[in-house]
Amino acid sequence: NPPLVLADEPTGNLDTHTADEIFALMRDFNREAGTAFLIVTHDPRLAARCDRRIELIDGRIRGQGEA
């Protein structure tokens, strides 16, 4: 039960259905075990489903948002 999982493009090469299943598994771990996930993604669809978003452009924080 790690307190934090670092996930670099966890759904990058997956089809939409499988990506949704992976995200659902991460959400389950988050809710049931209290595990936090730091996800790096270029997928705006995945980012929109996260509780908090930080956008980096040219190495600088350009935007932040919460669900």
Side-chain angles (χ1 to χ4, degrees):
N1 293 326
L4 174 66
V5 171
L6 305 177
D8 185 11
E9 296 286 354
T11 61
N13 291 320
L14 303 176
D15 61 85
T16 303
H17 176 74
T18 304
D20 289 344
E21 289 181 349
I22 294 299
F23 186 78
L25 286 172
M26 290 190 292
R27 271 298 201 196
D28 288 344
F29 278 114
N30 171 252
R31 290 185 178 126
E32 294 172 14
T35 300
F37 286 82
L38 189 140
I39 300 172
V40 176
T41 185
H42 289 92
D43 181 354
R45 199 174 136 271
L46 176 63
R49 296 169 65 189
C50 294
D51 293 334
R52 182 170 181 204
R53 292 167 300 285
I54 299 173
E55 183 179 13
L56 294 177
I57 299 175
D58 296 331
R60 298 187 185 270
I61 295 174
R62 297 296 176 149
Q64 296 186 51
E66 295 189 21

